[in-house]
Amino acid sequence: MDNTIYPNDSALLPAVNLVDMEISADGTDLTLSFDSIFQSKGVNYSIVLSIIENSGQKAMEAIADEITFGNNAFIVIADEYNSDFIHADITAIETTLDGSFQ
């Protein structure tokens, strides 16, 4: 498996499809869950982000605030290639959507 981060590796998902944000039991991961963008029954997508331990609440609030009150058409949640994260406590992307669209 190639773990290289390429500038064109990305996912663009509608904010309206974000249905859940969940902090892991150990407080080091934040999972964003989305309804299917293909209208397929039972097919959902999740992206797991690494976060600083026990900072999930602040990261979730930053995401929710940007969705609710932000003025940008596109919201960058996590961009490892450019080290651009919506909140300083998000440190990396653990899992991606690779293979989810097959």
Side-chain angles (χ1 to χ4, degrees):
M1 183 169 143
D2 182 2
N3 289 324
T4 304
I5 301 168
Y6 297 100
N8 59 345
D9 286 346
S10 62
L12 178 63
L13 300 167
V16 68
N17 286 38
L18 177 63
V19 294
D20 186 55
M21 292 188 277
E22 182 178 353
I23 304 165
S24 63
D26 66 1
T28 61
D29 293 319
L30 174 61
T31 301
L32 307 180
S33 299
F34 297 84
D35 275 341
S36 173
I37 59 174
F38 293 117
Q39 306 287 324
S40 301
K41 298 288 183 191
V43 178
N44 296 313
Y45 307 102
S46 294
I47 298 174
V48 180
L49 306 173
S50 291
I51 56 174
I52 294 174
E53 190 171 359
N54 298 321
S55 66
Q57 184 73 29
K58 291 185 270 180
M60 289 189 301
E61 286 174 8
I63 293 167
D65 285 349
E66 186 61 31
I67 290 170
T68 305
F69 304 113
N71 295 319
N72 297 316
F74 297 97
I75 302 167
V76 175
I77 303 295
D79 177 351
E80 283 187 336
Y81 185 79
N82 292 305
S83 299
D84 183 16
F85 300 97
I86 196 167
H87 191 273
D89 290 340
I90 298 172
T91 59
I93 302 168
E94 287 295 316
T95 61
T96 64
L97 297 171
D98 288 350
S100 298
F101 299 112
Q102 297 176 2

